[in-house]
Amino acid sequence: MTQPERRTPARRAVLGAAGAAVLGGSTVLAGGTAQAVSAAVAAGTDRSPRTKGHGHGYRSLPVPTVIAHRGASGYRPEHTLGSYQLALDMGAHVIEQDLVPTKDGHLVCRHENDITGTTDVADRLEFAGRKTTKTVDGVALTGWFTEDFTLAELKTLRAKERIPGTRQENTLYDGRWTVPTFEEVLRWAEQEGRRRGREVWLHVETKHPTYFRSLGLGLEERLARLLRRYGRHRADSPVFLQSFEPGSIQRLARLVDSPRVVLLSAANTRPWDFVQSGDPRTVADLVKPEGLRWIASYAQGIGPTIDLILPRDAGGRLGAETTLVRDAHAEGLILHPYTQRNENTFLPAEYRRGTDPAAYGDAFGALKRFFETGIDGIFSDNADTALLAAADFSSR
């Protein structure tokens, strides 16, 4: 069934401001200047988020910082150069990549090593024999996995929309882009930085690092080599390094000086490296003052699920705010919570509109509430929406 067309302000901004830049088929897309796109997205306003600090380094980023979650994944298949380009053209302050390895040790950008739902691999008869079942971080998965493909093989696949039932319009772009390597993204960021006359910030996650190290495909050393090759290994480099495994961030801290963020899932969960090492602490322990103090000894920030700041009740409505923002700031940590999305299915219950779970709800209302907590930034699938909300919030 075809989803009815949703003519929302955010969708009009995307198609009007950046459509000419992104509807073409080139791998690294041409387009208008960042200033022109930003002006269109801002709808004629001259408001901008407040800035902490001056010059280079993460403290110079606008606050609230808008981090394009897997690129402009609300509008293009995630982790493609098309998705990254659109997010940058929208004006996102930082663009996110998730890294997994190939069989021959190259780092590629996929949210998961299971590429069944994000590429056309299931339709490729030559790879039918690669389908298998694996246990990744304690979860059994059946499909196709990056670590079973060489880079040359992986490059024959085409990326596609991960959640086509929710984002049916995104399927228009299925097959347009390949799976990018992280080195390709670094080259793209350098090229865009020269063209725009400013640094292009990246937010880079190591996925399942303990699992991959057990396969002889350690992520951190490979990532550190690339960061050094492209000059992003310093404390003031335009990159954040992130992981749900604190041990991965500690390892990276010994390899490079780039800013580091520990990601935090639900309160009752344990990081997988904790499970493997027998560390009994849960996320609930890590968000206590003593846990935050421990994180601050090797990282500059945390990336909590927004539920750790604004828990939801049984009906899906936001409850009373926790002390996490205050406690993290007391330890000098910045907060980049995840993830803001425009669709009803992802929004707190009080911000949903209508009965279609794929329709847009009151994303601006939800973002206002998120920003009121004092967070330093947010991951968003819809960077244009988050940027407008940040401008509204900062102009109060």
Side-chain angles (χ1 to χ4, degrees), residues 89-157:
D89 286 344
M90 285 177 171
H93 305 130
V94 186
I95 314 295
E96 188 203 26
Q97 295 78 46
D98 297 322
L99 302 186
V100 293
T102 64
K103 183 178 182 179
D104 48 350
H106 295 275
L107 297 181
V108 295
C109 301
R110 293 286 87 187
H111 176 57
E112 292 291 343
N113 54 324
D114 181 356
I115 53 173
T116 309
T118 60
T119 71
D120 62 353
V121 66
D123 300 326
R124 304 291 292 273
L125 295 180
E126 67 269 35
F127 297 128
R130 305 280 178 94
K131 188 176 184 180
T132 188
T133 298
K134 299 190 178 195
T135 299
V136 181
D137 293 3
V139 178
L141 302 168
T142 298
W144 288 262
F145 299 84
T146 59
E147 65 267 27
D148 296 331
F149 291 77
T150 65
L151 179 60
E153 290 172 329
L154 196 67
K155 278 294 189 179
T156 68
L157 304 178

Side-chain angles (χ1 to χ4, degrees), residues 213 221 224 228 246-257 260 298:
R213 187 164 293 279
E221 293 80 7
R228 288 185 176 280
S248 182
I249 295 301
Q250 290 175 310
R251 187 181 295 271
L252 284 166
R254 294 191 291 268
L255 296 170
V256 293
D257 294 324
R260 299 170 298 278
Y298 59 87

Side-chain angles (χ1 to χ4, degrees), residues 303-317:
T305 170
I306 196 71
D307 292 351
L308 290 173
I309 299 170
L310 289 168
R312 300 191 194 190
D313 63 20
R317 299 177 67 87

Side-chain angles (χ1 to χ4, degrees), residues 41-94:
V41 172
T45 69
D46 60 1
R47 297 170 294 182
S48 59
R50 61 187 173 89
T51 299
K52 293 196 297 184
H54 302 281
H56 299 290
Y58 69 93
R59 292 290 185 184
S60 69
L61 283 166
V63 176
T65 303
V66 173
I67 306 155
H69 185 238
R70 310 176 200 172
S73 53
Y75 312 109
R76 299 291 185 271
E78 66 190 32
H79 288 314
T80 59
L81 286 174
S83 181
Y84 299 153
Q85 184 73 44
L86 179 55
L88 190 63
D89 286 344
M90 285 177 171
H93 305 130
V94 186

Side-chain angles (χ1 to χ4, degrees), residues 70 77-78 111 117-118 160-164 167 341 381:
R70 310 176 200 172
E78 66 190 32
H111 176 57
T118 60
K160 68 177 187 178
E161 172 57 36
R162 181 178 60 89
I163 47 174
R167 293 172 173 168
R341 299 175 170 104
D381 285 12

Side-chain angles (χ1 to χ4, degrees), residues 341-365:
R341 299 175 170 104
N342 285 356
E343 293 89 358
N344 277 326
T345 191
F346 302 115
L347 288 168
E350 63 265 44
Y351 297 105
R352 298 169 194 162
R353 298 294 179 263
T355 58
D356 181 358
Y360 282 5
D362 180 15
F364 289 114

